[in-house]
Amino acid sequence: MGSLVRGAAGLHCGYRATTNFHAYDLLPYYGVSPVGTNRVVEDRNRITAGPVTGSVEIALRLIQDFFGTEAARRRELNTERVAERRGVEVRPA
């Protein structure tokens, strides 16, 4: 829902963005071109994502941009290991 907050502040006007599927239809009210996906959407200097899993994908993409692909892969693997230790089922990508 962060896309709606930023949209209301005028920060997404004229950009493509996504958000939780419950709010897709609200994005155009803020001048946003909605992209119907729960994945990551990059438009110029804006990055948005669907639900929480999309936020994790944004984090991994930023790690990749700043620190390289190998660092992003290590972080993804470490995240999966933490989830497994907590009893959360992790399925291979």
Side-chain angles (χ1 to χ4, degrees), residues 33-52:
S33 298
V35 177
T37 180
N38 285 334
R39 307 290 296 188
V40 175
V41 174
E42 289 186 58
D43 186 0
R44 294 165 278 169
N45 61 347
R46 305 285 193 269
I47 303 175
T48 59
V52 171

Side-chain angles (χ1 to χ4, degrees), residues 75-85 88 90-93:
R75 174 49 50 204
E76 182 178 26
L77 181 60
N78 288 338
T79 302
E80 289 177 358
R81 287 184 181 161
V82 168
E84 287 173 353
R85 282 196 300 263
V88 176
V90 177
R91 288 175 257 160

Side-chain angles (χ1 to χ4, degrees), residues 3 6 10 12 17 28 34 39-40 54-55 58 70 74 81-82 84 92:
S3 293
R6 288 185 300 277
H12 283 314
R39 307 290 296 188
V40 175
S55 299
I58 285 177
E70 189 55 35
R74 281 194 313 269
R81 287 184 181 161
V82 168
E84 287 173 353

Side-chain angles (χ1 to χ4, degrees), residues 1-37:
M1 299 291 194
S3 293
L4 290 179
V5 173
R6 288 185 300 277
L11 298 175
H12 283 314
C13 188
Y15 285 83
R16 294 179 313 112
T18 192
T19 189
N20 189 290
F21 72 93
H22 295 293
Y24 285 148
D25 58 334
L26 299 175
L27 290 172
Y29 290 107
Y30 302 108
V32 178
S33 298
V35 177
T37 180

